[in-house]
Amino acid sequence: MPPSPRPSFPRGQNIPEDACCEEHREPLRLFCEDDQALLCGRCFRPEEHENHVVNGVREAADRYRKLFQGILNTLKKKLEVAKSILADEQERMVMIQGEEQDFKEMIESEYRIRFRLMVEEEMNVQSQQGCIFNPSMREDNQNQLMEFATELKEKSQETLQNARCSVERSESLLLQCLEPAQITDLSLCQVTGMSGMLKVLQRAVTLDPNTAHPCLVLSEDRRSICLRNVQQDVPDGPGRFIFEATVLGVESFTSGRHYWEVDVEKATRWLLGISEDSGSGHSDLPTAARDKVLLIGSRMGTNYTFWVFPPLKKVSLRGEQMHKVGVFLDCKYGQLSFYDVTDRSLIYNFSSLTFRGAVRPIFSLCIPTGGTNSDSLSICCPHVASCDVTVSPQASSA
């Protein structure tokens, strides 16, 4: 004889207390966990429910109520975490969009620099050889640069498309694994190559001892600085740095294009860039921070981390040893570029800078908070004669 049909109730509704078995007309007081069925006393046959878990209805209801409440609480917590992560991802997307624009502008600025230097290099070669202008040579060089620009654009678009896809998928992924979307860091994208004209524009920059912080020891040729823990007895002056282990270059630039290289291999934390020549007051007063454009490097083992200012932001992380940093300044177009000379790649590029007057190279090491520090850096000598110079050397008493 087949088992009699068991009463079932719509999901989500409570079981009436006076519910009765349709076959035996007796109260349903038992619940079989294995068959998920309500039973009356007469329905419960040992041969049908052998080894089954059978409990009273109230006991089973209490157990399931606690079980569902626990699941509900877990889901609520998971939902809050998902909302929090999703909000973070949305903030990251806004930040990535800003980084995308900065990255595009940096590529465009570097492309313009290389194009202008390429044109000048071509003109210099023709002038030295006494050649007649060759349009086909110009066209070939332009095609090479256009291919370079297209390649950079494709790389940046590919990276950003991957980033967008990751963020778009994050909403559904968060509900599954509650982990932030993996987004490619734009700072890891490198713009490789350096123009040969930079070496032609390289300047013989020297250091101004009248601006050097007392902790800095200058070499006799005024091309190197070394950090010491004990301050030297030096005369105070209006241009001397008193809060930072910093020194300015003697040369000040008002126009033209200029390039210099700095050996940073023996420094763990350093700062390079340009500073507007205020000509009055101490050079490192807080109010003068806006007059500096800086690249800040920090080495931990063989890993380098870079920040730029202004505004202060992290721009790159590199895992290879770096020996030299190249600095290129174009006063006319307001551009300042920093290069990793070791692997011939761009670190960062500032564009559309406005200078109110002359600017001077700036060099700085980090004063240790404790212990000893023997960091040093050196300005590299040019390998070729400089040209296209508009330099105003500072008087020794400046």
Side-chain angles (χ1 to χ4, degrees):
M1 177 179 177
S4 59
R6 307 303 182 198
S8 61
F9 298 93
R11 190 175 293 179
Q13 293 186 6
N14 293 329
I15 302 172
E17 292 186 2
D18 58 348
C20 295
C21 173
E22 294 181 359
E23 179 183 359
H24 303 109
R25 310 305 300 171
E26 291 188 7
L28 299 169
R29 301 184 184 280
L30 301 174
F31 180 75
C32 177
E33 298 278 358
D34 298 84
D35 293 338
Q36 293 287 290
L38 291 166
L39 308 171
C40 68
R42 295 175 63 185
C43 290
F44 179 66
R45 300 183 181 91
E47 63 275 10
E48 293 183 13
H49 301 280
E50 186 178 3
N51 298 323
H52 288 190
V53 177
V54 179
N55 295 312
V57 169
R58 291 183 179 277
E59 181 183 352
D62 289 341
R63 193 175 72 83
Y64 275 102
R65 187 180 296 109
K66 293 178 181 178
L67 177 63
F68 289 140
Q69 187 62 49
I71 294 174
L72 180 61
N73 292 339
T74 301
L75 290 175
K76 285 181 178 179
K77 293 178 181 179
K78 193 173 183 180
L79 180 61
E80 292 302 316
V81 173
K83 288 180 178 179
S84 176
I85 296 179
L86 184 58
D88 291 341
E89 293 297 280
Q90 291 170 342
E91 290 183 5
R92 288 177 64 195
M93 190 59 196
V94 173
M95 181 181 67
I96 287 171
Q97 290 172 343
E99 292 179 351
E100 171 189 355
Q101 185 62 32
D102 291 344
F103 191 61
K104 286 182 177 179
E105 291 176 357
M106 188 175 71
I107 291 177
E108 292 173 358
S109 178
E110 179 65 11
Y111 168 74
R112 288 192 292 268
I113 290 174
R114 296 191 186 188
F115 182 80
R116 287 194 293 267
L117 293 177
M118 178 273 295
V119 172
E120 180 168 338
E121 183 176 13
E122 178 185 321
M123 294 177 64
N124 287 345
V125 171
Q126 292 173 357
S127 175
Q128 292 172 6
Q129 295 179 350
C131 299
I132 300 175
F133 176 72
N134 187 345
S136 62
M137 182 183 299
R138 169 72 64 85
E139 185 176 351
D140 291 341
N141 288 335
Q142 287 180 343
N143 290 337
Q144 291 178 5
L145 278 176
M146 290 299 294
E147 292 175 1
F148 166 75
T150 302
E151 180 183 353
L152 288 178
K153 185 176 181 181
E154 290 175 351
K155 286 183 178 179
S156 65
Q157 288 180 345
E158 179 182 354
T159 302
L160 296 169
Q161 287 171 356
N162 291 339
R164 287 197 181 98
C165 290
S166 298
V167 173
E168 289 171 358
R169 294 198 312 268
S170 64
E171 185 171 0
S172 60
L173 291 174
L174 287 172
L175 298 176
Q176 299 176 14
C177 59
L178 300 180
E179 293 180 356
Q182 298 298 316
I183 299 177
T184 302
D185 188 354
L186 287 179
S187 67
L188 300 178
C189 301
Q190 292 191 6
V191 181
T192 57
M194 292 175 62
S195 171
M197 276 296 292
L198 293 176
K199 290 293 186 180
V200 178
L201 299 171
Q202 188 169 354
R203 307 297 178 222
V205 175
T206 54
L207 303 171
D208 183 358
N210 296 315
T211 64
H213 185 277
C215 280
L216 292 178
V217 179
L218 275 62
S219 61
E220 292 184 3
D221 61 3
R222 295 185 181 179
R223 292 187 182 278
S224 301
I225 56 173
C226 184
L227 187 62
R228 292 292 180 261
N229 296 318
V230 179
Q231 294 193 11
Q232 304 172 89
D233 185 13
V234 295
D236 191 13
R240 188 177 300 281
F241 287 86
I242 57 177
F243 298 117
E244 303 170 350
T246 303
V247 60
L248 295 178
V250 171
E251 295 74 16
S252 66
F253 305 121
T254 57
S255 62
R257 290 163 301 173
H258 314 276
Y259 175 76
W260 58 96
E261 293 182 354
V262 184
D263 189 332
V264 297
E265 184 178 6
K266 296 180 180 178
T268 54
R269 284 180 287 181
W270 45 263
L271 177 154
L272 302 173
I274 57 173
S275 175
E276 289 199 45
D277 192 3
S278 60
S280 63
H282 285 287
S283 300
D284 57 345
L285 292 177
T287 55
R290 63 181 179 275
D291 300 328
K292 298 180 177 66
V293 184
L294 308 172
L295 171 71
I296 305 161
S298 177
R299 175 168 56 86
M300 183 68 69
T302 58
N303 293 326
Y304 259 103
T305 306
F306 297 107
W307 290 266
V308 292
F309 174 87
L312 181 63
K313 62 179 179 179
K314 180 181 175 182
V315 296
S316 182
L317 174 64
R318 303 194 179 192
E320 296 180 358
Q321 182 68 37
M322 186 179 64
H323 304 293
K324 295 180 182 179
V325 175
V327 185
F328 173 71
L329 169 67
D330 190 326
C331 296
K332 179 179 179 180
Y333 293 98
Q335 293 178 317
L336 182 68
S337 300
F338 297 95
Y339 298 93
D340 180 349
V341 180
T342 304
D343 66 1
R344 298 179 59 79
S345 64
L346 178 70
I347 298 175
Y348 195 78
N349 176 292
F350 289 93
S351 59
S352 303
L353 298 174
T354 302
F355 306 125
R356 295 189 294 270
V359 296
R360 302 171 66 180
I362 187 171
F363 311 87
S364 183
L365 295 169
C366 181
I367 299 178
T369 56
T372 60
N373 190 316
S374 59
D375 281 7
S376 65
L377 54 80
S378 303
I379 304 171
C380 302
C381 295
H383 298 290
V384 295
S386 296
C387 61
D388 184 33
V389 184
T390 307
V391 179
S392 300
Q394 301 292 312
S396 59
S397 60

